[in-house]
Amino acid sequence: MVGEAQVLNSFDPAVTTQDVDMNFDLTEDQQSIQAAIEKICEKYDDEYWLARDRDGGFPHDFHRTLADAGWLGIAMSPEYGGSGLGMTEAALMMRTISGSGAGLSGASAVHMNIFGLNPVQVFGNDEQKRRFLPPLIEGRDKACFAVTEPDAGLDTTHLKTQAVRDGDHYVLTGRKIWISTAQVASKMLIIARTTPLEQAAKPTDGLTLFYTDLDREHVEVREIEKMGRKAVDSNMLFIDNLRVPVEDRIGDEGAGFRYLLHGLNPERILIAAEAIGLGQAALRRATQYAKERVVFGRPIGQNQAIQHPLAQAWMQLEAANLMVFKAASLYDAGRPCGTEANAAKYLAAEAAFQSCQTAIATLGGMGYAKEYHVERYLRECMIPRLAPVSPQMIMCFIAEKVLGLPKSY
């Protein structure tokens, strides 16, 4: 697990606040963004997402609606068709999508657009940006993020996918796992080793980043049946002699690991925002049910055994939400945010899980029924708990980078 955090004394208020603006109100523009996304999401109601959960199938119509409204490029440069807004606005958008009841099914359908091409936007040349970014923003291309491998896990430096230079091409061979949207993607951002690990000066050297066509004649995409989020596929990729033009290489050969880091903190911030939205959706349903469900002549929400877990869920979500937007503000200000991005991901995932399981307990037997939706929320909230980095690795990171404890892994 990696990030940009410096070694900080977490007990020094001057350090932990990092001079972040402490105004917690949304600006008028941010309120307008939230309202616009809410209006779009109203067209895709709970029954729409229940059907996607039952039957699968990528939500192409939802993706197209957001593309047509110009939202897929919210954090990309206006020069290439984006809105040029910050990670704060992107997080607000993703929280709103998830919180509408779309959950991770809706958020994951557009998640890659927001953070995935950040290395291309930062390190790609002008020709690459003109070629790659507008089709993604306009929704003509869909992309997947091909990093994780079966035998490497979070140890990215030990990736085994190879890219061998052959004239004006590289030839890629290897395997990737847990690659979302590969069933529908036309492009992929993929990292491969161009210098064998034993020949690299250090483990992070010798990895090269490419953004290229997902050529299904040379890439077998095998879907993984999973617990939730059936609408957005997860896959194993088997890559066999995929020829990638040199002009699809992002930046310098061997520097891909460093480029990849620029997408990791935004990814953590966004999935944290999505987790908050999911937890809020669950809490909203549970609270409404607690008001309406009458047992022994009184609404169950009048009982403290129901009230207290719901109140606790609200407080946990609100606290995690503050860390999400602190991390986003730091990122937008160009400040180190690795500590905050990782902490936001951890806190938001735990708060979402607590909210979702509390919702099921509040609804009782009905919480177990698909028609009440909260069981779907619980299944989906496992995603931010597990990915893109485990909670245990985040705690190791905080212990080392913030508290100054010895590295444990």
Side-chain angles (χ1 to χ4, degrees):
M1 185 204 53
V2 289
E4 299 176 15
Q6 300 171 336
V7 177
L8 303 174
N9 175 6
S10 65
F11 304 108
D12 181 352
V15 173
T16 55
T17 57
Q18 295 198 46
D19 300 323
V20 175
D21 185 355
M22 300 302 285
N23 180 3
F24 300 118
D25 294 330
L26 296 179
T27 67
E28 287 188 13
D29 287 345
Q30 289 168 344
Q31 291 176 31
S32 296
I33 291 169
Q34 181 171 282
I37 298 298
E38 286 174 343
K39 186 173 182 180
I40 288 174
C41 290
E42 286 174 1
K43 304 175 185 177
Y44 301 92
D45 60 11
D46 293 326
E47 296 307 311
Y48 173 88
W49 295 111
L50 179 59
R52 298 287 75 71
D53 184 62
R54 284 173 172 158
D55 304 330
F58 187 85
H60 290 284
D61 44 357
F62 177 71
H63 181 274
R64 170 48 54 195
T65 300
L66 287 167
D68 289 345
W71 292 112
L72 296 188
I74 187 170
M76 294 186 187
S77 171
E79 184 178 356
Y80 305 104
S83 300
L85 298 175
M87 196 52 51
T88 300
E89 287 74 23
L92 176 61
M93 169 180 156
M94 300 309 288
R95 187 188 71 184
T96 304
I97 290 173
S98 184
S100 73
L104 270 293
S105 294
S108 296
V110 296
H111 180 95
M112 175 64 181
N113 277 77
I114 312 304
F115 87 94
L117 270 292
N118 194 44
V120 176
Q121 184 164 249
V122 175
F123 299 105
N125 59 42
D126 289 340
E127 184 275 333
Q128 289 174 327
K129 294 175 187 178
R130 286 193 298 271
R131 184 157 52 99
F132 294 147
L133 297 182
L136 195 72
I137 293 168
E138 295 164 13
R140 292 184 282 119
D141 277 347
K142 295 183 180 72
C144 62
F145 192 52
V147 176
T148 309
E149 294 187 4
D151 301 322
L154 292 170
D155 191 357
T156 307
T157 61
H158 282 73
L159 297 179
K160 295 181 179 179
T161 297
Q162 298 289 325
V164 178
R165 183 72 180 261
D166 180 23
D168 57 358
H169 284 75
Y170 289 85
V171 181
L172 273 62
T173 302
R175 298 182 300 165
K176 300 289 183 179
I177 196 169
W178 294 114
I179 310 306
S180 296
T181 72
Q183 291 289 335
V184 298
S186 54
K187 294 281 188 178
M188 63 177 173
L189 185 71
I190 183 168
I191 192 165
R193 187 161 280 287
T194 44
T195 301
L197 179 60
E198 61 273 13
Q199 297 178 19
K202 53 184 179 179
T204 54
D205 290 346
L207 290 162
T208 301
L209 195 63
F210 305 90
Y211 183 68
T212 194
D213 292 337
L214 201 168
D215 181 354
R216 295 173 193 273
E217 291 188 8
H218 296 277
V219 181
E220 179 189 351
V221 180
R222 189 179 300 173
E223 188 166 1
I224 300 169
E225 284 195 82
K226 56 189 189 296
M227 179 178 177
R229 205 194 66 177
K230 191 174 182 179
V232 179
D233 51 274
S234 299
N235 304 275
M236 181 92 170
L237 305 188
F238 298 87
I239 304 162
D240 183 19
N241 293 319
L242 174 67
R243 295 184 66 82
V244 175
V246 171
E247 56 264 29
D248 287 356
R249 185 189 72 209
I250 305 303
D252 296 330
E253 182 175 299
F257 185 84
R258 178 166 59 88
Y259 302 155
L260 196 63
L261 297 186
H262 281 259
L264 296 186
N265 286 330
E267 182 184 28
R268 284 152 171 70
I269 293 168
L270 293 177
I271 200 164
E274 294 158 20
I276 295 295
L278 186 62
Q280 290 173 337
L283 181 60
R284 184 172 62 248
R285 281 194 166 273
T287 302
Q288 188 61 39
Y289 187 88
K291 293 175 181 177
E292 297 173 351
R293 174 65 167 160
V294 175
V295 179
F296 300 120
R298 55 192 275 160
I300 63 173
Q302 192 173 344
N303 301 318
Q304 290 180 352
I306 298 294
Q307 290 181 351
H308 289 181
L310 294 172
Q312 185 180 44
W314 181 88
M315 289 186 282
Q316 291 171 337
L317 287 167
E318 287 296 306
N321 188 63
L322 291 176
M323 182 58 80
V324 170
F325 284 95
K326 177 181 179 181
S329 297
L330 288 169
Y331 181 88
D332 289 339
R335 304 287 295 277
C337 66
T339 294
E340 291 78 9
N342 278 285
K345 186 270 180 191
Y346 177 93
L347 294 170
E350 296 305 308
F353 176 73
Q354 185 64 32
S355 180
C356 290
Q357 69 173 5
T358 297
I360 287 186
T362 302
L363 271 67
M366 293 306 179
Y368 206 62
K370 286 185 178 292
E371 65 179 296
Y372 282 81
H373 305 286
V374 291
E375 64 82 32
R376 170 170 65 87
Y377 299 163
L378 181 64
R379 286 184 286 113
E380 291 191 353
C381 85
M382 296 305 296
I383 297 172
R385 288 193 96 196
L386 297 170
V389 59
S390 71
Q392 291 78 18
M393 287 297 288
I394 289 178
M395 287 187 281
C396 289
F397 178 83
I398 297 297
E400 178 193 350
K401 298 297 185 181
V402 180
L403 303 179
L405 297 173
K407 187 174 181 179
S408 61
Y409 58 95

